[in-house]
Amino acid sequence: MNFWEWYDRQLLATKQHDVPKYELEWLVLRLTCLDKLDLRLRSPSVSEKITPELLTKLDQLWQQRLSDRLPVQYLAGSLMWRDLDLQVTPAVLIPRPETELIIDIIAEHCQDAIYQNGIWVDLGTGSGAIAIALAQHFLKAEIHAIDYSKDALEIATLNANNNNQKIQFHHGSWFEPLAKLNLQNKLAGIVSNPPYIPSDEVLNLQPEVTNHEPHSALDGGRDGLDDIRELVNTAPIYLISGGFWIIEMMKGQAEIVRSLLIKNGSYTNIQIHQDYAGINRFISAQIA
Ligand SMILES: C[S@@+](CC[C@H](N)C(=O)[O-])C[C@H]1O[C@@H](n2cnc3c(N)ncnc32)[C@H](O)[C@@H]1O
């Protein structure tokens, strides 16, 4: 079978298996030297660029996508997030496109020297995506990243090295490593995309997520807010006056998190930010 015969057959299979067509294109582009134009123009030379061995490998991976519902990013082992080439394994959450915006919000709100030259922490770094993008943006800042998963920290370290960014990684639960480093009242910014899905919803997400992504990256406790409460209540001990705090959250959580921030009493300038789909996805605040 040549490449095009295989490709057309798999396009049909996407319908039968209810998998988006673009995922087939994505996997092919990620694992071969083909470009979008080759696929769009159905370039006849394509068959020469895809060796039988490569076609067999593509097919084996793609069949796992169809039958096991494995996300294509885990099958390829990497993805682009912003302009970063990141490795991913099932030990880390696949960084989502909407999370990219958290960096743009920080860039817009944190232009003063206290932020540019300050100490930043990414709590729950996973693949390291946010920390690495922060390091790329704040050239003079000191960037720390924390995760409770040692396997995730291994991937994050690899990603930081591959993207030539210097980040200090620490293992531990939320602020624990910061206490050991005596970073109380020293941080210019805290950023986090914490687990925020209510426990009983984690089991009812798409099978790609429920069956393959780490539940420790998703499960935010009974109401989804366990980790967010910790981030709201403990961050003021570590942030300097004017320090910036921002997290990602789930659709429907914005007003509750706003009230948690107000109730805490340490925050000012609380702002809710939307993602590309118009969902209230991020909330930021500053220490009064
Ligand atoms: C939603 S994922 C975010 C990953 C990454 N920052 C991103 O945006 O793609 C949440 C991360 O928090 C980590 N995590 C969960 N509980 C934690 C805890 N108690 N302390 C530190 N990290 C934790 C998980 O291991 C996971 O990597």
Side-chain angles (χ1 to χ4, degrees):
M1 191 186 315
N2 73 25
F3 173 77
W4 287 120
E5 286 164 352
W6 175 81
Y7 194 72
D8 288 340
R9 237 179 242 191
Q10 302 319 315
L11 277 179
L12 282 178
T14 57
K15 263 195 192 158
Q16 291 154 4
H17 288 82
D18 199 20
V19 166
K21 272 185 190 174
Y22 67 77
E23 292 198 9
L24 177 63
E25 179 180 298
W26 186 93
L27 192 69
V28 168
L29 294 177
R30 194 71 200 157
L31 294 180
T32 69
C33 60
L34 302 185
D35 57 32
K36 276 193 176 173
L37 213 56
D38 284 324
L39 293 184
R40 296 281 146 79
L41 299 178
R42 298 185 75 83
S43 156
S45 64
V46 155
S47 281
E48 291 154 31
K49 295 185 195 166
I50 308 287
T51 62
E53 292 76 26
L54 183 51
L55 189 55
T56 305
K57 184 182 165 196
L58 268 177
D59 188 52
Q60 280 168 354
L61 293 173
W62 181 248
Q63 296 316 317
Q64 286 188 64
R65 171 69 189 96
L66 297 181
S67 53
D68 303 343
R69 315 296 297 186
L70 253 162
V72 277
Q73 295 89 343
Y74 288 150
L75 290 169
S78 65
L79 81 166
M80 292 303 294
W81 187 83
R82 294 179 70 89
D83 58 350
L84 302 172
D85 202 328
L86 300 175
Q87 309 251 345
V88 287
T89 72
V92 297
L93 184 98
I94 297 165
R96 303 297 201 263
E98 61 267 25
T99 306
E100 293 183 355
L101 271 175
I102 209 165
I103 305 297
D104 297 316
I105 299 166
I106 292 170
E108 188 190 330
H109 287 76
C110 300
Q111 296 179 6
D112 292 352
I114 60 157
Y115 305 116
Q116 299 278 336
N117 306 329
I119 305 175
W120 282 78
V121 176
D122 172 22
L123 290 167
T125 197
S127 63
I130 294 174
I132 298 168
L134 269 186
Q136 205 182 39
H137 179 74
F138 291 124
L139 297 178
K140 294 185 188 156
E142 179 180 314
I143 313 289
H144 296 260
I146 290 166
D147 208 287
Y148 196 60
S149 157
K150 284 187 177 165
D151 291 340
L153 284 174
E154 257 182 48
I155 303 289
T157 306
L158 185 80
N159 283 329
N161 291 338
N162 289 348
N163 287 281
N164 300 316
Q165 297 303 329
K166 210 172 141 241
I167 290 159
Q168 299 180 42
F169 290 103
H170 312 282
H171 174 245
S173 182
W174 301 131
F175 296 89
E176 220 175 63
L178 302 180
K180 289 186 192 145
L181 293 164
N182 292 319
L183 285 175
Q184 292 87 344
N185 201 23
K186 299 255 169 57
L187 304 184
I190 288 177
V191 53
S192 183
N193 174 16
Y196 51 60
I197 300 174
S199 300
D200 52 9
E201 287 184 37
V202 170
L203 298 176
N204 297 316
L205 302 168
Q206 297 158 281
E208 287 80 358
V209 181
T210 299
N211 298 345
H212 299 290
E213 298 208 71
H215 286 199
S216 55
L218 303 167
D219 192 335
R222 207 172 53 84
D223 63 357
L225 295 166
D226 282 2
D227 299 302
I228 291 180
R229 279 191 204 92
E230 169 72 7
L231 295 172
V232 168
N233 291 332
T234 312
I237 299 172
Y238 291 90
L239 285 165
I240 55 175
S241 170
F244 193 75
W245 181 97
I246 182 164
I247 64 159
E248 181 174 318
M249 63 201 158
M250 189 173 153
K251 184 179 179 183
Q253 288 176 336
E255 287 311 322
I256 307 167
V257 182
R258 190 209 296 269
S259 60
L260 290 174
L261 287 162
I262 293 169
K263 194 171 147 212
N264 177 278
S266 306
Y267 297 92
T268 178
N269 197 15
I270 300 167
Q271 289 185 42
I272 292 167
H273 312 266
Q274 296 184 340
D275 65 15
Y276 301 121
I279 292 167
N280 288 335
R281 177 69 63 194
F282 311 100
I283 185 159
S284 67
Q286 279 171 284
I287 294 296

